[in-house]
Amino acid sequence: MTFRLAASAALTATLLMGSPASAQTVFSASSWVPPTHTLSMAQKEWCDALEKESAGRMKCNILPKAVSAPPGTFDAVRDGLADISFTVDGYTPGRFVNTKVAEFPFLGDDSRATSIAYQRVYTKHFAPLGEHRGVKVLGVFTHGPGVIFNTKKPVLSSADAASLKWRIGGGNINDLTKLMGWNTTLKPASESFEMLSTGVMDGTLFPDESIASFKLSMIKHATTFPGGLYNTSFVFMMNPAKYDALSAQDKAVVDKLSGEYVASRFGAGWDKVDDASRDGAQKAQGVQRVTAPEAFINEVKAKQSQLEDQWAAAAEAKGLKNPKGVLAEFRAEIAKAK
């Protein structure tokens, strides 16, 4: 009897060794901001959800360093240097047109609401036009309301701003500041500390979060605008070949964790760190906050009106029907998402 049991156990072991283990799909995930930044943390949370929802069939390998400088991230994911990452659409000027709709001033004070509304408009109007052709879009989102930060003085007018040197991140804010005659340089967020600490730049346009995230202890002044001076359009994306190779079951998991799921997760994370930076780092370093006077707000509105007309013409030329109507729809969706 003992011999028969042993033989049976040996046969079972042989069969198990000969049967292939279920394959696990591992995605390489790249981030060009520190691991503690809200973008990196939201990406990690998404990866954790992916592993959980797929019962371990899919997981991420968070790479120790970015596979590309920020402006090259879109192409890096498209070409398979990384399977998953995010980028700022405005880091490659002129490449994306429709996405500028999410970057206009005065859209709202809540990143989550703006991001969800942006995702809805994107899915309905922009995705069918192939705005991000070449990658599998997992979701789009915006950061929190943009603020004017600097090391020198209160900025209460366009003339005040024009007397200083600014780092900006691209997109609509690049067009707006140039139209207003400000001295700006387009550089990724990750270069802000060096540019400000060395005095190459006097200030930067950022959401509140960035003062803490990038340790910008040299900032002393902030000018805020109702609804923000600007927003930044982001895309969270996957290499399309990696997605296409998945089983139908695993594609369904990825799809479930896409769209508004991404917009809500990234947006809510940004709101949380915006609040923490205002209440923590900025307060500790004595940042003096002022609200832009009405005259300054009206200066911005006048210039932005020209840019919205230019955007509408460019978007229509790219196939978007009724761009001004899409912008109105976007603003209505933001109000609904609050």
Side-chain angles (χ1 to χ4, degrees):
M1 186 72 176
T2 304
F3 172 79
R4 293 173 67 183
L5 285 172
S8 175
L11 177 61
T12 301
T14 300
L15 290 172
L16 287 174
M17 288 175 64
S19 63
S22 13
Q24 184 182 56
T25 302
V26 179
F27 297 92
S28 60
S30 177
S31 174
W32 41 265
V33 289
T36 54
H37 192 281
T38 184
L39 285 168
S40 297
M41 291 190 293
Q43 179 171 258
K44 171 67 164 57
E45 290 168 2
W46 186 89
C47 285
D48 290 344
L50 181 74
E51 186 169 2
K52 181 179 179 182
E53 289 287 334
S54 68
R57 294 188 308 277
M58 294 183 284
K59 66 176 292 185
C60 294
N61 172 31
I62 307 293
L63 300 176
K65 60 183 293 187
V67 297
S68 167
T73 303
F74 183 93
D75 292 340
V77 172
R78 180 196 64 193
D79 298 339
L81 297 179
D83 297 320
I84 293 171
S85 193
F86 47 82
T87 195
V88 172
D89 291 311
Y91 280 174
T92 49
R95 187 169 192 172
F96 305 104
V97 175
N98 295 325
T99 58
K100 282 189 177 181
V101 76
E103 301 178 345
F104 293 161
F106 320 124
L107 288 175
D109 295 312
D110 184 307
S111 174
R112 181 178 178 276
T114 306
S115 295
I116 290 173
Y118 179 31
Q119 180 66 58
R120 290 172 181 169
V121 168
Y122 182 94
T123 300
K124 181 178 178 181
H125 297 287
F126 303 159
L129 298 175
E131 183 74 338
H132 290 100
R133 62 177 56 87
V135 300
K136 164 68 176 172
V137 175
L138 300 173
V140 295
F141 60 97
T142 77
H143 64 37
V147 179
I148 295 177
F149 290 106
N150 81 91
T151 63
K152 302 291 186 182
K153 63 182 184 180
V155 171
L156 299 172
S157 67
S158 183
D160 287 340
S163 67
L164 301 174
K165 296 174 294 183
W166 304 95
R167 183 227 68 100
I168 56 171
N172 183 74
I173 194 61
N174 185 42
D175 302 331
L176 177 61
T177 53
K178 286 189 175 183
L179 198 58
M180 297 189 77
W182 301 359
N183 182 0
T184 59
T185 299
L186 177 61
K187 289 289 183 181
S190 52
E191 296 186 28
S192 299
F193 181 87
E194 182 179 357
M195 299 180 80
L196 290 167
S197 62
T198 58
V200 172
M201 293 290 140
D202 301 312
T204 182
L205 276 59
F206 259 149
D208 275 308
E209 157 274 328
S210 300
I211 304 306
S213 294
F214 295 110
K215 299 180 170 54
L216 303 182
S217 57
M218 70 292 292
I219 293 295
K220 297 301 176 188
H221 299 278
T223 304
T224 64
F225 291 74
L229 176 61
Y230 74 104
N231 284 293
T232 290
S233 166
F234 289 83
V235 57
F236 182 48
M237 57 198 163
M238 177 182 287
N239 175 264
K242 195 81 172 186
Y243 176 81
D244 290 342
L246 296 175
S247 67
Q249 182 183 20
D250 286 348
K251 282 179 181 175
V253 173
V254 172
D255 294 346
K256 177 182 177 182
L257 300 179
S258 297
E260 288 190 32
Y261 178 90
V262 167
S264 179
R265 181 171 291 275
F266 276 81
W270 217 301
D271 287 332
K272 182 178 178 181
V273 291
D274 269 351
D275 292 343
S277 179
R278 279 193 301 270
D279 296 338
Q282 293 182 46
K283 191 172 286 187
Q285 67 195 56
V287 174
Q288 298 179 34
R289 296 176 71 89
V290 296
T291 301
E294 186 175 355
F296 193 4
I297 294 172
N298 288 336
E299 287 182 276
V300 173
K301 285 181 177 178
K303 298 298 184 185
Q304 181 57 33
S305 177
Q306 298 178 45
L307 292 177
E308 289 180 15
D309 289 340
Q310 292 174 20
W311 168 78
E316 192 166 32
K318 290 284 188 178
L320 182 65
K321 295 179 180 178
N322 188 17
K324 287 292 185 79
V326 172
L327 176 55
E329 182 181 339
F330 178 38
R331 287 177 170 141
E333 288 290 351
I334 293 171
K336 282 191 223 172
K338 284 181 181 177

